[in-house]
Amino acid sequence: MSFGDPNNPYGAPQGQPPGYGHPQQPGQPSYGYPSAPPVQHYGQPAPAVMPGGVKAARVMLYVLGGFQVLGGVLMMAASAWFADYFEDAVSSEPNISAEDADTVASIGAGVMIALGVIVLAFAFWAIFTAAKFSKGRGGVRVSAIIYASLVTLFSVISLLGANVFALVSLVLGILIIVFCANRNGGHWFNRPQY
C-alpha cells in the first residue's frame, strides 16, 4: 500500500509507529503516554461520584438532625410551661406544701431541659455524620448505621405509645440503614482515598 510521494511534506509520515499523529481517544492523556487503568476495588472500579442511595441517606440524616434540633429547642423552651403545669397540678393537692410544689416543678423543668440536651446531642450526631459522607471512610458508615438503628428503635417504642409521627422517623431510619449497608454504600465508604 502506498501513500504517495515520500518527499511530499503534506503526505502521511513514513516509518512512524501506528497511531502516531492520530487524535487522542477520550480519557487518555496526551504526549503518547497510556492512561492508568481505573483503580479496582473488590473487582469493580472505585466510584468517583457519590451513589444516589448514599446521597439520599445523607439528606435523610440532615432531615432527621434538623427535626431533632427543632424538637430539642422546643423541649427546652417548653420547660417553663411544664414547670408551671407541674406546680399547678401539685399545689392543688391539699396535703402538699407550696415549697414541695415548687420543688416538683423545678425537677420537671430540669428533666425537660435534660431531655432537650439529649435530643440536641442526637441532632449533632446526625448532622456531623452527614457532613462527613463526602470524605468519610468506614467509620462514618458505621456511625450512620448505628444512629439510624437507634432512631428506628426509639421510633418503634414511640409507635407502641400511639405516636403516629414516629412512623416518619421509622421509615427514614430504615432507609438510612439500607442505603449505607448495601453494596453501593460499601463501595463508596471503602474507596481508596488519595
Side-chain angles (χ1 to χ4, degrees):
M1 189 182 320
S2 173
F3 291 104
D5 184 15
N7 294 325
N8 183 358
Y10 301 109
Q14 299 295 321
Q16 297 290 335
Y20 182 78
H22 289 278
Q24 291 292 320
Q25 298 296 324
Q28 289 190 353
S30 59
Y31 307 113
Y33 294 108
S35 65
V39 176
Q40 297 288 317
H41 182 70
Y42 297 119
Q44 295 185 2
V49 178
M50 189 183 301
V54 177
K55 284 181 185 177
R58 183 182 195 184
V59 169
M60 291 176 206
L61 282 170
Y62 279 128
V63 168
L64 283 173
F67 280 135
Q68 287 175 341
V69 166
L70 183 63
V73 169
L74 286 176
M75 288 174 79
M76 293 170 75
S79 64
W81 180 80
F82 278 112
D84 291 340
Y85 177 76
F86 286 139
E87 189 171 1
D88 291 342
V90 173
S91 63
S92 65
E93 295 291 324
N95 55 354
I96 295 180
S97 68
E99 292 174 4
D100 291 340
D102 189 41
T103 303
V104 170
S106 297
I107 291 172
V111 167
M112 287 300 293
I113 290 173
L115 289 175
V117 168
I118 291 171
V119 170
L120 285 176
F122 265 86
F124 174 77
W125 182 9
I127 292 170
F128 184 73
T129 301
K132 290 289 192 177
F133 263 43
S134 62
K135 296 186 183 193
R137 301 287 293 172
V140 175
R141 178 184 184 198
V142 170
S143 175
I145 291 172
I146 291 173
Y147 171 82
S149 299
L150 289 173
V151 166
T152 303
L153 174 69
F154 290 132
S155 297
V156 167
I157 292 170
S158 187
L159 277 174
L160 294 176
N163 181 5
V164 294
F165 295 112
L167 192 59
V168 174
S169 61
L170 176 68
V171 170
L172 291 178
I174 291 171
L175 288 175
I176 290 170
I177 294 170
V178 169
F179 289 147
C180 288
N182 69 11
R183 184 173 38 118
N184 288 336
H187 288 312
W188 176 253
F189 289 109
N190 294 325
R191 71 195 186 283
Q193 300 285 320
Y194 299 108

